[in-house]
Amino acid sequence: MQTLKFKNKDEMPAFGLGTWKSEPGEVYNAVKVAIKEGYRHLDCAPLYGNEKEIGKALAESIAEGTVTRSEMWITSKLWNTYHYKSEVIPSLKQSLKDLQTDYLDLYLIHWPIALKKEVIFPQKADDMASLEDIPLSETWQAMEESVNRGLAKHLGVSNFGKKNINKLISTSSIKPEMNQVECHPYFQQEDLLNFCKSNDILFTAYAPLGSSDRPDIFKAKNEPSLLEEPVIVEIAKSQNATPAQILISWALHRGTSVIPKSVNPGRIVQNFQAQFINLSEHEMKRIAKLDRGYRYVTGQFWVFEGGPYKLEDVFA
Ligand code: A2P
């Protein structure tokens, strides 16, 4: 199994199970099937509303002897409502309780965006808090505290661009070791990937299959379908594989982690098998040409007239 190595030599399985949009009622079975199949990396977040079920499936898999905790890699994320320094550890502890574990392998700031207390998802400008009011550097100090207390082994960020990462690097004592962002052939993030590499920051690709199960309100009309992209379909046919497997394999060949979401047992198995596909240099070059700077997750939901965030700042 391909891994990404952290500075202290800890290894994270590059291939993991995404759980964004996995509904309670579906995710328990998905996690159990995945762990049985050999998945050793679960990507979670309290915002996904399903950590309790994931925790139940994880605890059962451990009790049944399918896996041990130390063989698993568990990532979770700090939601935007809890950027206040005093809220970080309590929020992390809630995730630990729900996931039925004593520690996270990796804890990420979910977005470089803050919300006012008790606002889980904003409806208006006044629901937002600015990064001047709650600087990322202060949130990060509490993230560091979670490592010092043994609650998390590694720290990172998600949806961060170069400017926000640079700010964190310059003020932190524990440097961010991971950036998890949207990444797929239509949005290859070459520049950000190179920036992360040169700063010893590992990279996880979310929405690798194009995340077509997002709620309609967050979708553009006529958005392009990665799974129907002719070049991907053609390579899939010649490899005797599916388009989803080619998309996953492409991410692994670029040296990134990748976390496709599925709650369907057949597709969970299919996605796992993508780790064993070999793409040629020629195939990688053909896929490299597909980049069109297309984001599925635009970040528009953080932008309100009169609010503290502009769209160009969100991923800055
Ligand atoms: P399902 O959960 O029913 O399998 P992303 O990881 O980019 O967010 O994409 C998740 C979407 O892709 C979900 O709708 C998921 O549906 C679907 N999906 C996952 N694996 C596959 C696959 N192998 N082939 C086709 N669609 C897939």
Side-chain angles (χ1 to χ4, degrees):
M1 196 182 273
Q2 197 171 310
T3 60
L4 301 192
K5 282 191 191 60
F6 283 73
K7 278 169 243 159
N8 72 347
K9 308 245 167 21
D10 280 355
E11 294 187 46
M12 176 180 101
F15 175 82
L17 182 70
T19 62
W20 173 38
K21 308 175 262 75
S22 299
E23 301 295 330
E26 298 176 325
V27 76
Y28 164 80
N29 190 46
V31 170
K32 288 214 73 177
V33 168
I35 292 176
K36 271 216 181 85
E37 179 62 18
Y39 283 62
R40 294 294 176 262
H41 167 182
L42 304 177
D43 183 79
C44 315
L47 186 80
Y48 306 159
N50 54 16
E51 286 194 326
K52 256 192 189 153
E53 267 199 34
I54 295 172
K56 182 170 180 269
L58 177 65
E60 273 183 29
S61 301
I62 293 170
E64 288 159 4
T66 314
V67 79
T68 62
R69 173 64 186 91
S70 64
E71 286 166 344
M72 292 298 301
W73 183 278
I74 313 290
T75 298
S76 187
K77 313 184 187 89
L78 175 75
W79 185 240
N80 309 358
T81 316
Y82 309 106
H83 277 210
Y84 299 86
K85 221 169 151 183
S86 59
E87 307 265 353
V88 174
I89 301 274
S91 178
L92 167 56
K93 283 189 171 163
Q94 185 62 50
S95 281
L96 293 176
K97 188 173 169 218
D98 289 347
L99 291 165
Q100 299 195 39
T101 183
D102 298 334
Y103 67 91
L104 294 176
D105 296 278
L106 178 61
Y107 197 37
L108 309 177
I109 297 185
H110 206 146
W111 286 88
I113 301 284
L115 296 172
K116 291 218 175 116
K117 281 190 183 175
E118 287 168 29
V119 175
I120 298 298
F121 216 87
Q123 307 296 326
K124 54 186 185 309
D126 194 44
D127 289 341
M128 310 298 299
S130 77
L131 294 181
E132 276 84 58
D133 292 340
I134 316 175
L136 290 169
S137 56
E138 282 185 21
T139 306
W140 193 257
Q141 282 170 15
M143 299 283 287
E144 289 175 339
E145 177 66 19
S146 73
V147 173
N148 296 334
R149 289 204 209 171
L151 304 174
K153 296 206 166 176
H154 297 276
L155 298 181
V157 292
S158 181
N159 297 299
F160 273 47
K162 292 198 268 187
K163 198 167 124 198
N164 281 324
I165 293 177
N166 273 331
K167 264 197 239 160
L168 265 195
I169 291 177
S170 65
T171 56
S172 54
S173 47
I174 302 177
K175 306 292 170 208
E177 290 189 276
M178 173 64 74
N179 192 16
Q180 181 184 124
V181 293
E182 174 175 346
C183 190
H184 44 72
Y186 287 158
F187 193 55
Q188 303 194 7
Q189 301 254 42
E190 195 67 25
D191 186 44
L192 185 60
L193 179 58
N194 287 332
F195 168 86
C196 287
K197 272 188 197 152
S198 60
N199 283 285
D200 273 339
I201 296 171
L202 301 167
F203 193 99
T204 298
Y206 79 65
L209 309 179
S211 251
S212 63
D213 55 346
R214 278 154 34 250
D216 282 344
I217 45 160
F218 297 135
K219 281 166 111 172
K221 275 190 194 122
N222 305 322
E223 64 179 28
S225 164
L226 273 170
L227 293 168
E228 290 165 37
E229 159 58 47
V231 170
I232 300 291
V233 171
E234 204 183 302
I235 296 174
K237 274 194 190 127
S238 71
Q239 286 270 4
N240 208 8
T242 66
Q245 288 179 314
I246 300 302
L247 294 168
I248 294 163
S249 175
W250 171 81
L252 295 171
H253 277 74
R254 287 178 97 212
T256 69
S257 173
V258 62
I259 46 169
K261 170 264 175 184
S262 182
V263 290
N264 174 291
R267 289 193 283 272
I268 288 171
V269 173
Q270 183 196 121
N271 294 348
F272 188 80
Q273 294 304 322
Q275 293 178 94
F276 311 111
I277 292 172
N278 258 319
L279 294 177
S280 67
E281 215 171 292
H282 175 64
E283 286 167 328
M284 288 300 286
K285 277 193 182 141
R286 286 188 73 193
I287 300 175
K289 287 194 193 133
L290 298 177
D291 198 2
R292 46 167 109 168
Y294 189 87
R295 270 187 205 280
Y296 290 102
V297 181
T298 63
Q300 186 66 49
F301 33 82
W302 309 128
V303 180
F304 296 90
E305 216 181 305
Y309 300 92
K310 293 199 202 84
L311 194 55
E312 60 267 29
D313 301 334
V314 172
F315 298 103

